[in-house]
Amino acid sequence: MDTDFLLSLLAIIGIDIILGGDNAIVVALACRNLPKEIRNRAIILGICLALFMRMSLTVVAVNLLEIPFLLAIGGALLVYIAYSLLSDQAEDHKVEGGTNLWSAIKAIILADLVMGFDNVIAVAGAAHGNHTLVLIGLLISVPIIIWGSTLILKAFDRFPIIIYLGAGILAFTASRMITHEEMLSPLFIQHPIFTMGFQLFVIVAVLLAGAYRIRSN
C-alpha cells in the first residue's frame, strides 16, 4: 500500500463515518412501524440491498469521473456538499415508515438513493478510479450504519467540532479531486507548492464559510 492509497482509504473511512449517521436515521424511520420480530430482518435486508445499489452507482460514478473535467466538476460539487454539512445541520428527515417487511425495505432503498448521493460522489472522488477502495469503503459503511449510528449522532451533539472535522475531510477530498483532474494537471503537477496551497485554501474556505453561516442563523 502506497501513501496515496492509504490517504484515499482514510478519507473514505472518514466520509462513511460522517455521512453514515443520516442514513442510519433513514433506516430507523423506515422501520419504526414494523413489529419487533421482523424489524431486524428489514434493517439488514434493506441496508444490504441499498448498499448493493449504492455500490453500483459509485462504480458508475468512478468511471464517469474519468471523463475530462468531470472530476473537477465533481470536486466543486463536493465542496458545496462539505459546506452544506455545516450549514444544514438541522435537516428534517421525512421518511414514510413501512407497515410490512417489503414496504419498509422499499422505503430504506428509496430514501438511501436520495440521501446517499453525497456519499456516492465523495467516495467516488476519494477512490480516484480504484474499485477496490470503493468496495472497502462501502463494506466499512455497513457496521457504521447498523451499529455505530447512535454513537455517531450523540457524538455530533456532544462534540460539534466533529462536524467541522467531517467537513474538512470532505473539503480535502474535493480539493484532491480538482488537483487530480487530468485536464488541469499542467497547472498542479508542475507546481506542488501551489497545489498544497490550493488544497489548504479550499479546506479553510469551507470551514470559515460554514462557521459564518452557523453563527449568522
Side-chain angles (χ1 to χ4, degrees):
M1 292 187 184
D2 57 17
T3 303
D4 196 54
F5 183 93
L6 289 175
L7 280 175
S8 297
L9 179 59
L10 290 174
I12 289 174
I13 293 173
I15 288 165
D16 282 321
I17 291 174
I18 297 301
L19 298 180
D22 279 351
N23 299 85
I25 295 175
V26 167
V27 172
L29 292 177
C31 298
R32 66 185 183 274
N33 296 327
L34 290 179
K36 291 184 178 180
E37 58 269 18
I38 65 172
R39 189 175 297 166
N40 289 339
R41 198 188 320 166
I43 290 173
I44 294 173
L45 286 175
I47 289 176
C48 288
L49 290 173
L51 288 177
F52 175 77
M53 295 186 67
R54 188 187 294 186
M55 183 185 299
S56 302
L57 290 175
T58 307
V59 170
V60 171
V62 167
N63 294 328
L64 287 178
L65 289 177
E66 295 178 2
I67 298 174
F69 287 113
L70 274 186
L71 188 62
I73 293 172
L77 178 60
L78 193 54
V79 169
Y80 175 74
I81 292 172
Y83 167 74
S84 298
L85 180 65
L86 292 175
S87 60
D88 299 333
Q89 294 183 48
E91 182 180 356
D92 186 24
H93 301 278
K94 298 179 180 179
V95 180
E96 293 293 332
T99 55
N100 59 64
L101 179 65
W102 293 110
S103 65
I105 290 174
K106 183 177 70 173
I108 291 172
I109 294 173
L110 291 176
D112 186 80
L113 283 175
V114 174
M115 296 185 61
F117 176 73
D118 53 358
N119 191 285
V120 168
I121 293 295
V123 171
H128 292 295
N130 191 323
H131 291 177
T132 301
L133 278 172
V134 173
L135 178 61
I136 293 173
L138 289 171
L139 289 177
I140 288 173
S141 69
V142 174
I144 290 173
I145 294 174
I146 295 178
W147 296 294
S149 59
T150 303
L151 294 177
I152 294 169
L153 294 172
K154 287 181 179 179
F156 284 170
D157 292 334
R158 187 170 180 181
F159 305 105
I161 193 172
I162 296 177
I163 295 289
Y164 288 90
L165 177 62
I169 291 173
L170 292 178
F172 171 69
T173 301
S175 67
R176 292 184 76 222
M177 289 173 68
I178 296 173
T179 57
H180 280 70
E181 169 60 57
E182 187 175 351
M183 302 301 291
L184 300 176
S185 59
L187 178 63
F188 293 109
I189 290 181
Q190 299 177 13
H191 304 88
I193 295 179
F194 173 74
T195 301
M196 292 179 60
F198 174 80
Q199 292 177 341
L200 182 61
F201 170 78
V202 171
I203 296 170
V204 173
V206 166
L207 295 179
L208 289 180
Y212 175 78
R213 179 67 181 273
I214 292 173
R215 291 185 179 182
S216 62
N217 286 343

